[in-house]
Amino acid sequence: MAAQEQYEELARQLSAVAAVRRDLGRLLPPDCSPASAIVLAMVQKHGELRMSRLAELMAIDMSVTSRHVTYATEHGWLERHPDPADRRSRLLSLSPDGEELLREVSARYTQALAGCLQDWSDDDLGTLIGLLARLRTSFGDCRARPHQHLAHAAGAAVAG
Amino acid sequence: MAAQEQYEELARQLSAVAAVRRDLGRLLPPDCSPASAIVLAMVQKHGELRMSRLAELMAIDMSVTSRHVTYATEHGWLERHPDPADRRSRLLSLSPDGEELLREVSARYTQALAGCLQDWSDDDLGTLIGLLARLRTSFGDCRARPHQHLAHAAGAAVAG
DNA sequence: TATTGTTATACTCTATAACTATA
DNA sequence: TATAGTTATAGAGTATAACAATA
């Protein structure tokens, strides 16, 4: 159990790291939106995916996912195949152009991050990545559990 | 110096924690936008501020800062005073309503985070906060230094 | 009847550029 | 001439709701 001051500082830091995200986005090729880069990276990491699963992995609504996937498909980076097991569903996979784009993105990220994070050890970076993943899990579990701390806090704080 | 795989994972995690930020934003009162909450928290933490300093702290353009501050001022949470030392400048401070709003926001954040982060120790949370702050510093220093890794990576990766 | 995915609409956040006022 | 701040405009990302097709 942590102190209230820490919670407020966490909220501030989460807002602030958005600037880092925007900086990384500026490294991308002109027609590759940050959203496209994430979609492609997810498909590469997890293999053939359904829309709903991709939306879950990105923690955004499926309607938004659909737009991002349409964009990436129209640019020839992603392919949508019918799912033989369920004709409502579509399976996503990387095209050769998509794989090529990901190699380019990875090269840019690596060059930039190797420069900015010169004084970071593997351990420190690994710790940060691990804690970020854990934070997401804690929030995801919270949404899924019946207690629903996130949803209830709004009303309860007003009442109290 | 860390491995390329870690850099890619960091980029993915930074994208993913945006979902946590959105979740926190949903806790806010209806007319308090996430941006307002951040602006008020910054003024509370750092005391009386100039626009340019606030923009720097939030790592966003001053034009955006100006809009957020106007919104918060129109809602009576923030006050803009003339700066006696420089009449181009304006000094920002919290109003009593702004302080009240921040207390409410803090209560909601604390309740929600105490629920979601039950199994986090003070140490783990402190480590995460510290590493996030360090990450921002590393990126900020990188932008400020003459090497400009972030800006150059785009062109260099293409050429190489 | 429920679920998968798409589309239409509206809202928030951000950056660039043009502008005003002051240093 | 340079700097502090504002405003107009455009673009990206997201959520909600209504819809089509299939389970």
Side-chain angles (χ1 to χ4, degrees):
Chain A
M1 200 62 78
Q4 173 166 345
E5 174 59 34
Q6 274 191 310
Y7 292 143
E8 295 172 5
E9 183 62 22
L10 176 63
R12 280 193 294 267
Q13 290 298 337
L14 286 178
S15 290
V17 288
V20 175
R21 252 181 86 210
R22 290 196 299 276
D23 283 337
L24 284 178
R26 280 188 261 272
L27 296 173
L28 298 173
D31 53 350
C32 178
S33 65
S36 289
I38 302 165
V39 166
L40 297 183
M42 285 296 182
V43 175
Q44 182 182 54
K45 185 180 181 188
H46 293 89
E48 213 173 40
L49 280 176
R50 294 170 56 151
M51 294 291 305
S52 50
R53 174 64 178 146
L54 178 60
E56 183 186 333
L57 287 170
M58 297 177 68
I60 56 178
D61 193 88
M62 193 159 55
S63 68
V64 181
T65 309
S66 180
R67 290 176 70 89
H68 293 328
V69 166
T70 297
Y71 182 89
T73 303
E74 286 171 347
H75 282 73
W77 302 321
L78 218 53
E79 290 167 0
R80 284 190 276 211
H81 309 285
D83 181 348
D86 184 341
R87 283 190 306 176
R88 293 173 302 183
S89 197
R90 305 172 86 169
L91 294 176
L92 306 173
S93 61
L94 280 177
S95 73
D97 279 3
E99 291 176 2
E100 170 64 25
L101 177 61
L102 270 179
R103 277 191 293 273
E104 170 65 28
V105 169
S106 178
R108 295 187 184 198
Y109 277 4
T110 299
Q111 175 173 355
L113 289 172
C116 290
L117 307 184
Q118 276 173 347
D119 57 341
W120 283 64
S121 68
D122 274 22
D123 258 18
D124 288 344
L125 196 49
T127 300
L128 174 57
I129 290 170
L131 288 173
L132 287 175
R134 185 177 165 203
L135 181 68
R136 287 206 297 141
T137 303
S138 293
F139 266 71
D141 289 353
C142 185
R143 269 196 305 273
R145 261 179 299 162
H147 301 76
Q148 295 277 349
H149 301 100
L150 279 172
H152 284 183
V158 172
Chain B
M1 199 63 79
Q4 173 166 345
E5 174 59 33
Q6 275 191 310
Y7 292 143
E8 296 171 6
E9 184 61 24
L10 175 63
R12 280 192 294 266
Q13 289 298 336
L14 286 178
S15 290
V17 289
V20 174
R21 251 181 88 211
R22 290 197 299 275
D23 282 337
L24 285 178
R26 280 187 261 273
L27 296 173
L28 298 172
D31 53 351
C32 178
S33 65
S36 289
I38 302 165
V39 166
L40 297 182
M42 285 295 182
V43 176
Q44 182 182 55
K45 185 180 182 187
H46 293 88
E48 212 173 41
L49 279 177
R50 293 169 57 150
M51 293 292 306
S52 50
R53 175 65 178 146
L54 179 58
E56 183 186 332
L57 287 170
M58 295 177 70
I60 56 178
D61 192 89
M62 193 159 55
S63 68
V64 180
T65 310
S66 179
R67 290 178 69 90
H68 293 328
V69 166
T70 298
Y71 182 90
T73 302
E74 287 171 347
H75 281 74
W77 302 321
L78 218 52
E79 290 167 1
R80 284 191 275 211
H81 309 286
D83 181 348
D86 184 341
R87 283 190 304 175
R88 294 173 302 183
S89 197
R90 305 170 87 168
L91 295 175
L92 307 174
S93 61
L94 282 176
S95 72
D97 279 3
E99 290 175 4
E100 171 63 26
L101 177 61
L102 270 179
R103 277 191 293 274
E104 170 66 27
V105 168
S106 177
R108 295 187 185 198
Y109 277 4
T110 299
Q111 175 174 356
L113 289 172
C116 290
L117 306 184
Q118 276 174 347
D119 57 342
W120 283 63
S121 68
D122 275 22
D123 258 18
D124 287 344
L125 195 49
T127 300
L128 174 57
I129 290 170
L131 287 172
L132 287 175
R134 186 178 164 203
L135 182 68
R136 287 206 297 140
T137 302
S138 293
F139 266 71
D141 290 353
C142 185
R143 270 195 305 273
R145 260 180 300 162
H147 301 76
Q148 294 279 347
H149 304 283
L150 277 173
H152 283 184
V158 171

